[in-house]
Amino acid sequence: MKIIIDTPEKIAELAAERYVELLNRKPNAVLGYATGSTPLGLYAQLAKLNAAGKLTFKDATTFNLDEYAGLDGTHEQSYRYFMNKNLFEHIDIPMENTHVPSGTDTAHAGDYDKAIAAAGGVDLQLLGIGHDGHIGFNEPGTPFGSITHVVDLTPMTREANARFFTSIDEVPTQAVSMGMKTIMNARQIVFIALGKDKAEIIKKMIDGDVTTEVPASILQLHPNCEVFLDHDAASLL
Ligand code: GLP
């Protein structure tokens, strides 16, 4: 892992440069995207660079990490809706090239890995982190060999995400998520964590053992992973 500590604004710029490098080298790259508040600065930056002609997504393909079980793409809290509103509608990607796991047809979740493989595998995977160390929605205890699967969300994760819903009762209890192996198969990873509330888990992820109890700790083993942290998230390192 290569660790880069900077301001949130600078991190958005630096991370966006990775997309410029990749898409200029490989216009039909496969991009793995993430949701949450963390990537919003990067997504704004990508839209800006796209509008300025510095990169194009017209031949790119995208696969998102995860989706809430039970929500279809028109639901305002679905991750499909989030991606459309925060990125896809602001860049030149053909909508048919964008993929988010289905939250309503979850019986064949593992087929998502086949679709990723058929597209050539993920070139650049973006990741954030949950307070318990989850990446995607892979909660502590998820086997490192897992592929895309249905997961039970922990009370901590439902609590953290309740801020987007009118009440915690509306937060789904399950999600569909790329597995740990799916994520580790990406050729390059850009990981971002911002804020004091992530400092403790970042310390465990970077300085602790590689363990399924801290899913993100597996990134210590990835050959091409950059970890972008703001000063708050890095404050316990
Ligand atoms: C959700 C997503 C994760 C994301 C996490 C952190 O649980 N499934 O992919 O990393 O939220 O969200 P935030 O960036 O809002 O802290």
Side-chain angles (χ1 to χ4, degrees):
M1 284 189 301
K2 184 171 169 214
I3 298 164
I4 299 126
I5 302 170
D6 218 313
T7 62
E9 296 73 25
K10 189 72 186 166
I11 288 171
E13 283 175 26
L14 292 172
E17 277 175 23
R18 305 305 185 258
Y19 290 81
V20 175
E21 285 158 16
L22 173 63
L23 288 164
N24 286 335
R25 172 166 56 82
K26 186 177 180 184
N28 64 346
V30 177
L31 307 172
Y33 278 130
T35 53
S37 47
T38 305
L40 290 174
L42 168 63
Y43 290 167
Q45 187 65 15
L46 290 178
K48 197 169 128 192
L49 292 172
N50 188 201
K54 301 271 193 252
L55 83 173
T56 173
F57 296 89
K58 69 180 173 40
D59 295 319
T61 301
T62 74
F63 287 90
N64 259 78
L65 280 169
D66 47 15
E67 179 60 282
Y68 285 115
L71 303 192
D72 75 26
T74 61
H75 191 288
E76 288 191 12
Q77 297 312 330
S78 73
Y79 284 168
R80 159 55 77 182
Y81 190 89
F82 175 100
M83 289 307 298
N84 289 353
K85 291 292 159 204
N86 290 297
L87 185 65
F88 299 149
E89 289 174 6
H90 307 287
I91 60 175
D92 63 352
I93 190 146
M95 215 40 115
E96 64 272 21
N97 292 8
T98 69
H99 305 272
V100 179
S102 171
T104 49
D105 174 17
T106 58
H108 308 287
D111 287 353
Y112 200 64
D113 283 59
K114 291 183 193 151
I116 293 171
V122 172
D123 289 297
L124 173 52
Q125 177 66 54
L126 177 64
L127 293 177
I129 188 170
H131 296 105
D132 58 2
H134 70 245
I135 48 177
F137 264 134
N138 292 292
E139 301 281 23
T142 306
F144 285 159
S146 51
I147 62 167
T148 304
H149 58 143
V150 177
V151 303
D152 292 327
L153 299 177
T154 62
M156 185 196 254
T157 297
R158 293 184 68 234
E159 180 83 33
N161 290 335
R163 66 191 196 273
F164 301 112
F165 294 80
T166 41
S167 89
I168 190 157
D169 302 330
E170 287 180 24
V171 184
T173 54
Q174 289 190 315
V176 181
S177 176
M178 279 189 195
M180 298 298 287
K181 189 170 152 201
T182 321
I183 292 171
M184 285 296 278
N185 277 342
R187 294 179 190 96
Q188 180 182 357
I189 292 180
V190 165
F191 172 101
I192 307 178
L194 308 174
K196 262 235 149 34
D197 58 315
K198 298 285 172 70
E200 247 175 73
I201 194 66
I202 288 298
K203 170 132 186 83
K204 287 187 190 161
M205 163 191 159
I206 292 175
D207 290 340
D209 294 338
V210 175
T211 163
T212 53
E213 288 315 303
V214 181
S217 65
I218 199 176
L219 299 175
Q220 293 180 27
L221 305 179
H222 195 280
N224 187 7
C225 174
E226 287 182 300
V227 173
F228 292 91
L229 306 173
D230 69 358
H231 295 95
D232 285 339
S235 58
L236 297 179
L237 294 178

